[in-house]
């Protein structure tokens, strides 16, 4: 049985499905960061703190934007079209929040237009098909 969290206006369904989706989302965001770090020649083992520092702004952005977009509700994760639209909106918000955080002294990096475009594109390519596939499977059951 699932339960919507009232304090967030019913934007999070507390269930095993939501947990699985959230883990999958975070794994894909992590994959995006790891691929970028490798592309730029950073060692995953020699600089693990750098990877965390790169991922954290995007994870913070995803937590905020995904809740606001309501991507963790049954109405979204059971309907492929809704999953695609809301996931895309959430990632755009997450990427912009992540980039804005990177432009502060709290995180390494800066606000670079090229990276904004790359992060938007790569994140959409990773997250949207994943969420549509899950919605297609969950919606059938």
């Amino acid at each position: 049985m699932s339960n919507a969290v009232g304090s967030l206006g019913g934007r999070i369904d507390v269930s095993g499905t939501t947990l699985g989706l959230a883990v999958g989302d975070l794994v894909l965001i992590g994959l995006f960061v790891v691929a970028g770090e490798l592309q730029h020649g950073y060692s995953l083992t020699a600089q693990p703190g750098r990877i965390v520092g790169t991922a954290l702004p995007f994870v913070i952005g995803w937590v905020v934007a995904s809740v606001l977009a309501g991507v963790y509700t049954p109405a979204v994760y059971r309907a492929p079209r809704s999953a695609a639209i809301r996931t895309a909106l959430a990632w755009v918000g997450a990427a912009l929040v992540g980039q804005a955080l990177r432009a502060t002294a709290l995180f390494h990096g800066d606000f670079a237009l090229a990276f904004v475009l790359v992060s938007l594109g790569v994140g959409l390519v990773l997250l949207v098909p994943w969420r549509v596939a899950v919605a297609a499977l969950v919606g059938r059951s």
Side-chain angles (χ1 to χ4, degrees):
M1 184 170 285
S2 65
N3 190 10
V5 176
S7 65
L8 296 172
R11 293 182 186 267
I12 299 177
D13 176 62
V14 179
S15 68
T17 302
T18 299
L19 178 60
L21 281 171
V23 169
D25 295 341
L26 293 175
V27 166
L28 291 173
I29 293 167
L31 179 64
F32 152 68
V33 170
V34 166
E37 296 294 297
L38 291 172
Q39 178 70 28
H40 290 286
Y42 294 104
S43 169
L44 302 181
T45 55
Q47 298 175 306
R50 177 178 171 78
I51 295 162
V52 171
T54 302
L56 197 54
F58 294 100
V59 170
I60 292 168
W62 179 254
V63 168
V64 171
S66 66
V67 170
L68 291 174
V71 301
Y72 295 113
T73 62
V76 172
Y77 62 64
R78 291 183 181 147
R81 184 174 189 278
S82 183
I85 292 167
R86 291 202 187 218
T87 300
L89 290 172
W91 180 250
V92 168
L96 293 176
V97 168
Q99 294 294 343
L101 289 171
R102 286 173 49 88
T104 70
L106 297 173
F107 299 97
H108 65 265
D110 56 12
F111 192 91
L113 183 57
F115 187 49
V116 170
L117 297 175
V118 168
S119 65
L120 284 170
V122 172
L124 289 170
V125 166
L126 290 171
L127 290 166
V128 172
W130 145 250
R131 286 311 209 89
V132 169
V134 168
L137 290 172
V138 171
R140 280 193 242 162
S141 57

